[in-house]
Amino acid sequence: MTMNIQNLKPVYESKFGVPAEFAVRAPGRVNLIGEHTDYNDGYVFPCALDFNVTILGSPRNDNTVRAYSVTFDEMCEFSLNNLSVRDKAWCNYVKGVGYVLQPEGYHLKGMDILIAGNVPLGSGLSSSAAMEVASCLAYETAGGFDIDPVKRALIGQRAEREYVGVQCGIMDQFISSLGRKSHALFIDTRTLGYEAVPLPESGVSIVIGNTNKPRQLVGSEYNDRRNECYRARDVIRKDLPRVKELRDVTSEELERYAPQMDEKAYKRARHVISEDERVLESISALKSGDVKRFGELMNQSHDSLRDDYKVSCRELDVMVEAARKVKGTLGSRMTGAGFGGCTVSLVKDESVERFQKEVGEEYVKLTNLKPDFFVCKASDGARRIF
Ligand code: GLA
């Protein structure tokens, strides 16, 4: 699924009249478990995909950035002297990263870049984070400086929050920047410490199902959920000052303070707190080879996202239910922010084909939408190609 650089080089030359001097790449991601925990300082467990955003580029001797998107077949041009004016949606990721980098003291150079991507757009596989992280690496390469991968993730996250306007957590940019082949990363989003955990080499596969239901309202609903979590946190924090975020609250404590909270805040918090517990348990399960338990925890995660966090939708639920009916499925859940996008399932190798057929048929029958399935290959994070 990787995009072939040799095919992109002549496209670059035809757009800019010179050969590209560098190429960089950053992947999308799938989150295996730990959803809507990252803006509560919690735990997540994503892996980088072999879908990515690739940028070919050459530095310029002025302050102009010209960016050509292969996906949209569109050119966008802006000056590094005037980054605050918003542009076309896809171009805002490039602009937004420049906007965040400049006041940090990095000396940005103009550049001519071609952007190509094969992360399905609007599917919850973090095409935006891939754009941000790849753009950051492009500015670094054109400007002749290097940013540490954790900082690069933080820069990408700030672009999303301060420029694009979604108050996201750190998960997507972090995994796009630091992912590791054949591993998922167990990330503590408070300390930004992480551990690469090997995924089973055989026996089970991670299957992504794209509902092809475009995510709707994701920005505003996402920001609402975040505020609901903060309402719950604030109630508890008034009484327990050691509590900084929901990450610091146990289930017993939540129950104790529940009567002081509105119902929504309570349910959102119940999801976050139980999800953190599930992540911790799922890592131990995976490490001890207990994939069955890992699958059960994935199922519980989905049910909690559907019932308490209310970020699922009919299409995701239909696909998850269909997946769970297939013999050989160990667990299935929605992945990413929700409201459409993808599911992720843990499926025995010998059942993967049957899974795609049976889930596909049932899904088409019940939704009239045609799904896509991909068997996940955990890949490396952002890198320079030449
Ligand atoms: C989006 C955000 C992430 C995370 C997930 C939900 O992908 O960008 O930071 O909050 O939603 O887990």
Side-chain angles (χ1 to χ4, degrees):
M1 277 291 183
T2 46
M3 272 168 308
N4 189 336
I5 293 285
Q6 296 317 324
N7 297 340
L8 293 174
K9 279 181 173 172
V11 185
Y12 183 93
E13 282 192 44
S14 75
K15 291 292 162 194
F16 297 110
V18 289
E21 284 180 30
F22 65 82
V24 299
R25 176 170 275 176
R29 64 99 187 89
V30 64
N31 188 22
L32 303 182
I33 194 161
E35 217 65 81
H36 287 281
T37 50
D38 62 352
Y39 46 89
N40 295 294
D41 273 4
Y43 306 108
V44 293
F45 193 48
C47 64
L49 296 174
D50 59 343
F51 295 127
N52 56 69
V53 168
T54 299
I55 299 185
L56 273 65
S58 296
R60 292 169 58 98
N61 290 320
D62 59 14
N63 272 342
T64 300
V65 173
R66 285 194 298 169
Y68 172 73
S69 158
V70 174
T71 308
F72 295 98
D73 186 19
E74 246 177 12
M75 189 71 86
C76 159
E77 181 173 332
F78 60 87
S79 163
L80 293 170
N81 302 332
N82 186 15
L83 289 170
S84 48
V85 186
R86 306 298 193 270
D87 217 300
K88 301 181 190 38
W90 66 264
C91 190
N92 279 340
Y93 295 106
V94 187
K95 249 182 144 172
V97 170
Y99 176 85
V100 172
L101 280 174
Q102 227 166 30
E104 289 275 311
Y106 296 105
H107 180 67
L108 305 187
K109 267 189 124 174
M111 53 187 183
D112 285 336
I113 55 175
L114 171 147
I115 306 171
N118 61 0
V119 188
L121 298 180
S123 63
L125 300 178
S126 289
S127 54
S128 330
M131 274 288 274
E132 288 148 2
V133 173
S135 299
C136 189
L137 198 49
Y139 282 114
E140 292 172 52
T141 312
F145 57 92
D146 274 309
I147 299 183
D148 156 90
V150 174
K151 172 121 195 233
R152 187 180 299 138
L154 289 164
I155 297 279
Q157 181 199 23
R158 279 187 53 203
E160 182 82 35
R161 291 165 85 146
E162 294 169 28
Y163 207 82
V164 179
V166 178
Q167 298 303 315
C168 67
I170 189 62
M171 167 168 71
D172 306 346
Q173 292 82 6
F174 198 95
I175 186 68
S176 181
S177 191
L178 286 115
R180 183 151 148 215
K181 196 171 177 216
S182 313
H183 292 69
L185 293 194
F186 168 42
I187 307 166
D188 178 335
T189 65
R190 165 169 283 165
T191 62
L192 299 186
Y194 63 97
E195 180 189 349
V197 181
L199 292 170
E201 274 167 25
S202 61
V204 286
S205 298
I206 295 162
V207 183
I208 299 169
N210 190 349
T211 61
N212 284 319
K213 152 104 172 155
R215 291 177 309 159
Q216 281 158 352
L217 291 173
V218 67
S220 58
E221 292 278 354
Y222 186 91
N223 292 345
D224 288 349
R225 292 299 178 285
R226 188 185 163 96
N227 291 331
E228 287 153 10
C229 288
Y230 293 172
R231 279 213 304 274
R233 170 203 69 189
D234 289 345
V235 168
I236 304 172
R237 187 153 70 177
K238 258 199 289 171
D239 215 44
L240 297 179
R242 68 163 175 82
V243 167
K244 292 206 172 57
E245 297 297 343
L246 286 179
R247 143 80 174 269
D248 305 306
V249 180
T250 64
S251 307
E252 296 74 44
E253 283 163 348
L254 177 68
E255 293 308 318
R256 201 176 336 133
Y257 291 96
Q260 299 176 35
M261 281 173 208
D262 63 279
E263 173 85 4
K264 259 191 194 168
Y266 165 69
K267 286 197 163 163
R268 306 308 186 240
R270 187 163 71 176
H271 164 73
V272 172
I273 294 166
S274 62
E275 185 79 350
D276 271 339
E277 289 167 0
R278 282 186 287 272
V279 178
L280 295 175
E281 195 187 338
S282 69
I283 305 288
S284 327
L286 197 60
K287 283 183 177 169
S288 62
D290 190 352
V291 284
K292 189 167 161 283
R293 181 66 188 144
F294 193 92
E296 287 165 6
L297 291 160
M298 288 174 81
N299 285 341
Q300 289 175 18
S301 166
H302 181 82
D303 297 351
S304 173
L305 287 158
R306 180 193 59 208
D307 302 337
D308 275 358
Y309 217 68
K310 297 244 184 298
V311 288
S312 189
C313 63
R314 179 164 177 271
E315 290 78 4
L316 285 167
D317 291 342
V318 165
M319 190 178 272
V320 161
E321 287 311 319
R324 289 178 184 174
K325 278 192 214 149
V326 177
K327 192 162 168 277
T329 300
L330 300 173
S332 186
R333 58 182 288 272
M334 55 155 277
T335 183
F339 308 104
C342 289
T343 65
V344 58
S345 307
L346 195 64
V347 184
K348 289 193 176 154
D349 284 345
E350 64 270 20
S351 305
V352 168
E353 227 165 274
R354 180 182 345 146
F355 177 96
Q356 302 193 20
K357 184 171 177 293
E358 291 179 9
V359 179
E361 283 171 3
E362 173 99 344
Y363 183 74
V364 174
K365 199 170 78 195
L366 294 177
T367 65
N368 260 327
L369 289 170
K370 202 181 151 305
D372 290 308
F373 296 101
F374 324 102
V375 176
C376 163
K377 280 226 297 272
S379 302
D380 282 324
R383 63 189 186 282
R384 293 193 170 101
I385 300 171
F386 66 82

